[in-house]
Amino acid sequence: MNFQLKPLTLAQASSFKTDALVVLVPSTLPRDSSALGTLIAQAVRCGDLDLAKPAKMLSMWRVPGIVASRLVLVTLGEGQPKHWRQAVTAAMGALKSAQAKDLALVLPSSPTEQVCALAQAIADASYVYTATKPSAEAAKLKNVTLGVPDVKSAQGALAQAKARVAGITLAREWGNRPANHATPDHLAKVAQSLTRLGPIQCQVLGPKEVKRLGMGSFEAVAQGAETSLRFIVLRYQGAAASVAPTVLVGKGITFDTGGISLKPGAGMDEMKFDMCGAASVLGIFRALADLRPAVNVVGLIPACENMPDGRALKPGDVVTSMSGQTIEVLNTDAEGRLILCDALTYAERFKPAAVIDIATLTGACVIALGSVRSGMFATQDDLAQALMHAGEQSLDLCWRMPLDDEYAEGLKSNFADVANVGDRSAGAVTAAKFLQRFAGKFPWAHLDIAGTAWKSGGAKGATGRPVGLLLSYLLSLQASATPAKKSVARRAKA
Ligand code: BES
Ligand code: MN
Ligand code: ZN
């Protein structure tokens, strides 16, 4: 999809040639005597358009004085980014059957967060999955014109919006591809292809290198599968080499059967989404390639399948992680933490300012927070606050969860340093407590995206979350390459 900016007043929009015209109507109407301006003022006066509420809509066809054949007026209410998202989503819904190739929107202003929300809503509405469904009709929408009062001042916002859309769409697309079309090696190829787009380096390790590194826990999960594991290392350098990087670790289980602790059959297909953490890291690097912010970022993706097999890991087996800690695997379905722990240990070598892992880790997190907010755990308050804020900014919400040591009680083992599961209570927290044992050497956060990375039911599909949240976080590091941020790094050393 192609986004472009154009100066468009209401008068100019009246005579603008396009398949569909959407006018975003702010709560205070500008004085305007053009055909469009008059139409809007009348609709408001007659009570047919309530300016106080967002996403109130009037949809019209071949209106005299308006060149575009389809016209949608939609209100922005108080004008927060989420109101823009609601408004544009509603308008896109109304235009669904129109199959427009060209779309123009008239924006009353162009604040960055609002423009990003708008572009995302358009991209969400027009995304069509075709990779393994050739019969699906490809998206019709090709050109989107954003009519703004001042093109120059909207350029930064549009650049960011486009990068966000590209990153989120990549994460969504790879999340959606079935496990036989999205193997660990496929993910590695995607990572390698990103190096062509910007200052990104990629290194892919296979089974031999992973063994040499001593990643016994990651290796153990992969040993039941025919497909071979990959450990993907991505590096983006946008700041001086001396600036400590943020390390993102994405869970890349390309299919989770549960292993010998086999999952029930119903709904097991959804475990193809168990690599959405990995996909979000790929999506972030896609956006970094476009935006090139002044930050340093490392992406780590342990990728493998979790399969039952004659060689597979068995309940009770004890494995030795890269950190040296031994782990009693009481449940082979708690495999995410087993691959992440070795990636966390690997992250130490980058002397990171912070490490954030992203994982579809627990069904318990879905029970706790549903699909509205991702679970967020952090060992430092300022990191937690920054992530929380980034979520609000990007409309990709999270909520902080606790890390009290008492939650780790259940992970005690008679046969190893730690067990990989506790009892059923607070499952999302015990999983985080397990990971925390491997994250002692840097400020650390963990995002459990089990409830937010994909939708079930009729709208089954990946969402591209939490690329938006993470991108806002990384951009905030750049915005204040000053006090707030450094305090994270400084505290790390303390
Ligand atoms: N990938 C799953 C988590 C999951 C389950 C995400 C359902 C979304 C929906 C993870 O590997 C897993 O199986 N976790 C277990 C942990 C348990 C064995 C302690 C779970 O949540 O049931
Ligand atoms: Mn599992
Ligand atoms: Zn899993």
Side-chain angles (χ1 to χ4, degrees):
M1 200 176 349
N2 173 34
F3 287 98
Q4 61 184 35
L5 292 168
K6 222 182 156 57
L8 271 189
T9 60
L10 285 179
Q12 288 164 325
S14 305
S15 55
F16 190 69
K17 199 168 175 303
T18 180
D19 298 332
L21 180 68
V22 174
V23 182
L24 304 179
V25 185
S27 58
T28 40
L29 285 185
R31 221 176 260 284
D32 190 293
S33 59
S34 68
L36 255 178
T38 311
L39 183 70
I40 295 168
Q42 279 172 351
V44 172
R45 208 175 312 118
C46 299
D48 285 294
L49 202 58
D50 184 353
L51 296 184
K53 298 202 182 93
K56 293 291 160 191
M57 201 166 50
L58 277 179
S59 185
M60 289 158 271
W61 182 72
R62 289 198 186 167
V63 180
I66 313 289
V67 170
S69 49
R70 293 169 201 86
L71 172 67
V72 177
L73 310 178
V74 64
T75 60
L76 292 173
E78 288 165 32
Q80 298 298 307
K82 71 170 177 192
H83 302 134
W84 281 53
R85 180 172 70 180
Q86 284 165 3
V88 175
T89 303
M92 294 302 288
L95 289 170
K96 202 167 179 184
S97 60
Q99 307 247 0
K101 193 167 137 293
D102 298 312
L103 169 69
L105 300 99
V106 183
L107 287 59
S109 57
S110 57
T112 303
E113 285 167 28
Q114 277 81 347
V115 171
C116 289
L118 167 148
Q120 196 50 52
I122 295 170
D124 277 347
S126 51
Y127 172 85
V128 181
Y129 175 83
T130 58
T132 54
K133 191 177 177 183
S135 64
E137 261 194 68
K140 284 272 175 340
L141 186 58
K142 289 281 174 313
N143 303 305
V144 180
T145 302
L146 306 187
V148 294
D150 179 10
V151 166
K152 206 149 174 259
S153 72
Q155 266 156 359
L158 183 65
Q160 190 182 129
K162 280 182 180 174
R164 280 179 186 277
V165 165
I168 293 169
T169 306
L170 182 92
R172 205 172 164 188
E173 176 63 27
W174 280 95
N176 282 335
R177 294 196 186 187
N180 63 332
H181 293 260
T183 62
D185 194 49
H186 282 120
L187 297 187
K189 297 258 154 60
V190 178
Q192 271 159 342
S193 74
L194 293 173
T195 61
R196 290 198 289 271
L197 305 179
I200 291 173
Q201 290 173 355
C202 176
Q203 195 188 356
V204 176
L205 312 184
K208 278 200 195 111
E209 291 100 331
V210 161
K211 182 179 283 303
R212 216 173 296 135
L213 282 165
M215 295 183 167
S217 187
F218 175 30
E219 225 183 348
V221 173
Q223 77 192 23
E226 289 292 330
T227 60
S228 150
L229 67 77
R230 294 288 181 271
F231 188 82
I232 304 165
V233 184
L234 280 159
R235 304 193 67 163
Y236 164 80
Q237 193 183 329
S242 58
V243 176
T246 300
V247 178
L248 304 176
V249 180
K251 173 179 173 182
I253 294 290
T254 57
F255 196 78
D256 182 11
T257 64
I260 297 299
S261 311
L262 194 64
K263 287 182 180 294
M268 202 206 273
D269 65 289
E270 295 197 1
M271 285 300 124
K272 72 172 182 177
F273 294 118
D274 213 14
M275 37 58 74
C276 282
S280 74
V281 173
L282 295 172
I284 282 289
F285 276 79
R286 176 68 186 78
L288 291 174
D290 270 10
L291 270 183
R292 315 218 173 160
V295 294
N296 292 333
V297 186
V298 174
L300 302 178
I301 298 174
C304 70
E305 291 176 349
N306 184 23
M307 298 293 284
D309 178 80
R311 279 172 308 223
L313 191 59
K314 302 171 290 296
D317 282 1
V318 174
V319 300
T320 304
S321 67
M322 186 180 177
S323 73
Q325 297 177 72
T326 57
I327 304 165
E328 186 185 13
V329 181
L330 291 174
N331 189 323
T332 64
D333 196 11
E335 85 297 340
R337 60 199 81 182
L338 295 176
I339 70 170
L340 291 170
C341 68
D342 282 340
L344 288 171
T345 302
Y346 188 86
E348 288 173 8
R349 68 183 57 200
F350 299 102
K351 302 192 170 44
V355 177
I356 304 169
D357 75 68
I358 309 108
T360 49
L361 204 62
T362 65
C365 194
V366 190
I367 303 298
L369 297 174
S371 60
V372 180
R373 288 179 188 257
S374 304
M376 181 258 290
F377 301 79
T379 49
Q380 298 202 329
D381 292 344
D382 44 10
L383 178 56
Q385 255 164 40
L387 289 169
M388 189 75 178
H389 181 67
E392 308 283 342
Q393 250 188 341
S394 57
L395 305 180
D396 186 353
L397 304 171
C398 65
W399 194 257
R400 192 175 185 181
M401 305 273 281
L403 281 170
D404 303 277
D405 282 337
E406 287 80 355
Y407 285 110
E409 281 302 307
L411 294 174
K412 287 188 175 146
S413 161
N414 290 346
F415 305 104
D417 295 327
V418 64
N420 79 327
V421 293
D423 60 18
R424 278 164 44 87
S425 65
V429 189
T430 52
K433 288 307 286 181
F434 177 92
L435 293 176
Q436 192 185 356
R437 297 175 62 98
F438 301 86
K441 301 206 172 134
F442 37 70
W444 166 74
H446 157 59
L447 292 170
D448 193 331
I449 57 167
T452 52
W454 77 88
K455 293 177 182 157
S456 303
K460 191 190 287 182
T463 60
R465 290 175 71 179
V467 171
L469 180 161
L470 291 168
L471 196 60
S472 286
Y473 172 74
L474 293 172
L475 294 178
S476 79
L477 297 180
Q478 164 191 249
S480 58
T482 43
K485 227 80 334 106
K486 282 189 186 150
S487 75
V488 173
R490 221 180 294 127
R491 285 242 216 131
K493 286 180 206 137

